[in-house]
């Protein structure tokens, strides 16, 4: 008896989403397959129809999100700053928000951020910097980690700024630093 593809995809998505919810609460080492399947309303054998273990599930979540970001930036001929902002816009889509929050949350994956830097941004960012090879890695690291730290904070604060306001803030911080936001006597 064959299952309908839409039911299969819905089951897989439900397992992924429940894993991500747990991953936001605790480290991966403390999450069991039984806990995921209980939360999702399935038995353990259902999990194994899609994934061999929790680490394969984690890799799937990372791959899915990276693929989505790359696809969103595929036809972009933008500067490094615009590439980071465009990626942040991609990650603002609700479908991927749970995965993003889990991967960059308190218990999330440092490996994911490293993959994001290497697979999505590193080559794009090198184009925007001077030929000083000694400083380029530092400048790239600054730009990427600053952007994602700000994005993470924005998500933790339940998007208290609109997407446009947030993007403008990031852009202003890159262009002029934080000094425009200080009172004159605070400097």
């Amino acid at each position: 008896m064959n299952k309908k593809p839409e039911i299969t995809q819905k089951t897989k998505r439900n397992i992924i989403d429940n894993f991500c919810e747990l991953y936001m609460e605790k480290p991966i080492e403390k999450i069991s397959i039984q806990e995921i399947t209980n939360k999702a309303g399935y038995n353990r054998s259902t999990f194994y129809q899609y994934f061999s273990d929790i680490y394969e599930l984690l890799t799937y979540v990372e791959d899915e999100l990276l693929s989505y970001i790359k696809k969103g930036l595929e036809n972009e001929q933008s500067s490094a700053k615009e590439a980071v902002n465009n990626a942040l816009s991609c990650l603002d889509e609700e479908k991927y928000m749970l995965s993003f929050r889990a991967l960059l949350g308190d218990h999330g994956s440092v490996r994911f951020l490293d993959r994001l830097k290497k697979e999505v941004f590193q080559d794009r960012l090198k184009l925007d910097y001077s030929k000083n090879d000694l400083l380029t890695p530092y400048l790239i690291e600054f730009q990427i980690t600053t952007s994602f730290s700000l994005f993470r904070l924005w998500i933790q604060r339940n998007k208290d700024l609109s997407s446009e306001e947030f993007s403008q803030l990031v852009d202003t911080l890159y262009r002029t630093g934080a000094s425009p936001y200080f009172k004159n006597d605070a400097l």
Side-chain angles (χ1 to χ4, degrees):
M1 182 171 141
N2 292 334
K3 294 183 179 180
K4 294 181 179 178
E6 60 272 7
I7 293 173
T8 303
Q9 283 301 337
K10 187 175 180 183
T11 301
K12 187 175 188 177
R13 183 88 253 151
N14 195 18
I15 290 170
I16 292 166
D17 289 348
N18 281 281
F19 163 73
C20 288
E21 288 175 10
L22 290 167
Y23 197 29
M24 287 189 298
E25 297 171 9
K26 56 183 151 182
I28 194 166
E29 299 81 20
K30 302 275 185 185
I31 301 172
S32 70
I33 292 170
Q34 186 68 52
E35 190 175 16
I36 295 168
T37 55
N38 284 349
K39 187 171 174 52
Y42 305 114
N43 59 42
R44 286 172 48 97
S45 64
T46 303
F47 178 92
Y48 291 113
Q49 290 175 5
Y50 300 96
F51 307 102
S52 61
D53 60 28
I54 289 177
Y55 295 98
E56 182 182 332
L57 171 54
L58 174 62
T59 299
Y60 180 88
V61 172
E62 289 179 357
D63 290 346
E64 181 182 51
L65 193 52
L66 285 169
S67 175
Y68 173 72
I69 294 168
K70 288 176 189 177
K71 187 176 180 184
L73 296 175
E74 211 168 63
N75 298 321
E76 294 286 331
Q77 295 297 326
S78 54
S79 70
K81 177 187 67 180
E82 290 167 334
V84 171
N85 284 338
N86 290 342
L88 294 177
S89 297
C90 288
L91 296 171
D92 193 21
E93 185 174 320
E94 208 53 46
K95 178 181 177 184
Y96 296 99
M97 189 56 61
L98 185 59
S99 297
F100 184 73
R101 290 179 74 179
L103 291 172
L104 293 182
D106 292 338
H107 306 289
S109 172
V110 172
R111 181 183 79 164
F112 174 71
L113 186 54
D114 288 340
R115 287 184 66 195
L116 188 61
K117 284 187 244 183
K118 288 178 183 128
E119 296 177 31
V120 178
F121 295 110
Q122 221 151 27
D123 290 336
R124 282 179 178 267
L125 294 178
K126 284 181 184 173
L127 298 174
D128 279 5
Y129 293 114
S130 67
K131 296 295 180 193
N132 187 337
D133 291 335
L134 184 62
L135 294 180
T136 298
Y138 294 99
L139 298 170
I140 291 170
E141 183 70 17
F142 170 79
Q143 189 163 14
I144 293 171
T145 51
T146 302
S147 295
F148 283 101
S149 291
L150 289 170
F151 187 75
R152 182 176 179 223
L153 177 63
W154 182 54
I155 298 305
Q156 289 173 340
R157 293 176 55 97
N158 295 314
K159 298 182 184 178
D160 56 347
L161 301 173
S162 71
S163 295
E164 295 78 23
E165 289 171 319
F166 177 75
S167 185
Q168 181 61 45
L169 173 64
V170 172
D171 183 56
T172 301
L173 289 171
Y174 279 136
R175 283 186 293 105
T176 60
S179 55
Y181 297 100
F182 293 125
K183 294 180 182 178
N184 287 339
D185 55 317
L187 294 174

